[in-house]
Amino acid sequence: EDQVTQSPEALRLQEGESSSLNCSYTVSGLRGLFWYRQDPGKGPEFLFTLYSAGEEKEKERLKATLTKKESFLHITAPKPEDSATYLCAVQDGNNRLAFGKGNQVVVIP
Amino acid sequence: ETGVTQTPRHLVMGMTNKKSLKCEQHLGHNAMYWYKQSAKKPLELMFVYNFKEQTENNSVPSRFSPECPNSSHLFLHLHTLQPEDSALYLCASSQQGTNEKLFFGSGTQLSVL
């Protein structure tokens, strides 16, 4: 069974204090790893897809990386508007998707 | 309207009630999904429809009954629910029914009394 573990569960950052979120996974035949952002009272919003180890994607202050066992979401110089829950999901060889519980990030001004 | 819209946003129902959740996507996608999000738990897939045909039922109890009349509309009919069914129910769509790049609605927050 595919498993996704995200750490830390919750993170409080000062504005400008860079940090990383971790998503470790076990999956049968990785087809893709996805990062989503979810704001309170809203559905998840797609951020990135990573397909193979060594791949990196960037969007504004966010950078996602992938290895054979885990993915990191780096937040550089975060701002309060980066406060959200970040969800990681892996897609296996049968196109099944497994989500992690999320990393809740609060950025304090 | 753009994206994926869900109604109602909030719903409170008794265990003997019957209600329906509605989802509409304006993205021209071919696949639609129902997900359940409970506190402190990962998102849980319930149903997948691809070209309005159900392609996945993730062992969901029969008190949840989906309906997909066309590729743009999806319903979830609820009856005889239990308090543990209280959760955020999210609808999503994608170009194909392969779980890639999902577009989610804002969800219906359901409370079962």
Side-chain angles (χ1 to χ4, degrees):
Chain A
E1 186 179 323
D2 302 336
Q3 289 195 341
V4 180
T5 303
Q6 293 187 244
S7 61
E9 281 189 30
L11 186 63
R12 289 173 65 89
L13 299 171
Q14 288 293 135
E15 185 172 359
E17 178 189 0
S18 301
S19 188
S20 294
L21 312 177
N22 177 265
C23 171
S24 62
Y25 63 88
T26 55
V27 66
S28 175
L30 180 72
R31 289 200 58 173
L33 184 141
F34 304 86
W35 282 100
Y36 288 84
R37 169 193 170 125
Q38 186 172 22
D39 293 305
K42 293 190 175 182
E45 177 186 349
F46 172 81
L47 290 174
F48 305 109
T49 309
L50 302 167
Y51 293 104
S52 57
E55 190 174 359
E56 299 182 351
K57 294 270 179 78
E58 282 188 71
K59 180 180 180 180
E60 296 180 357
R61 294 175 293 283
L62 301 177
K63 179 179 177 181
T65 62
L66 181 64
T67 73
K68 289 187 178 179
K69 294 182 179 181
E70 57 192 350
S71 175
F72 291 93
L73 185 64
H74 307 278
I75 311 177
T76 302
K79 297 183 177 182
E81 52 263 42
D82 294 321
S83 298
T85 296
Y86 293 88
L87 302 176
C88 173
V90 295
Q91 183 186 32
D92 67 14
N94 293 315
N95 288 325
R96 291 188 180 273
L97 197 64
F99 279 87
K101 294 181 181 180
N103 307 99
Q104 185 180 28
V105 175
V106 174
V107 182
I108 304 161
Chain B
E1 290 207 48
T2 59
V4 180
T5 54
Q6 289 187 244
T7 55
R9 290 296 311 275
H10 302 275
L11 180 63
V12 179
M13 59 187 289
M15 289 191 286
T16 58
N17 291 159
K18 290 184 180 181
K19 296 286 184 183
S20 295
L21 311 184
K22 179 183 175 183
C23 176
E24 183 174 0
Q25 60 99 357
H26 308 269
L27 300 168
H29 288 163
N30 298 311
M32 296 189 78
Y33 309 73
W34 280 116
Y35 274 88
K36 177 182 179 181
Q37 189 172 36
S38 304
K40 304 296 183 184
K41 288 187 175 182
L43 273 169
E44 183 182 339
L45 177 67
M46 299 176 73
F47 303 102
V48 181
Y49 279 83
N50 202 15
F51 291 96
K52 74 178 184 178
E53 297 296 323
Q54 188 179 117
T55 55
E56 189 157 352
N57 176 338
N58 197 22
S59 302
V60 180
S62 59
R63 57 185 183 270
F64 295 91
S65 175
E67 178 189 0
C68 188
N70 54 59
S71 293
S72 299
H73 294 86
L74 186 65
F75 297 89
L76 188 63
H77 304 299
L78 315 171
H79 65 94
T80 326
L81 293 191
Q82 304 298 311
E84 58 264 29
D85 297 322
S86 298
L88 180 67
Y89 289 85
L90 291 161
C91 173
S93 70
S94 67
Q95 188 58 47
Q96 302 172 51
T98 54
N99 281 308
E100 295 212 19
K101 196 171 180 180
L102 300 172
F103 290 78
F104 287 88
S106 293
T108 295
Q109 186 65 55
L110 174 67
S111 296
V112 181
L113 304 178

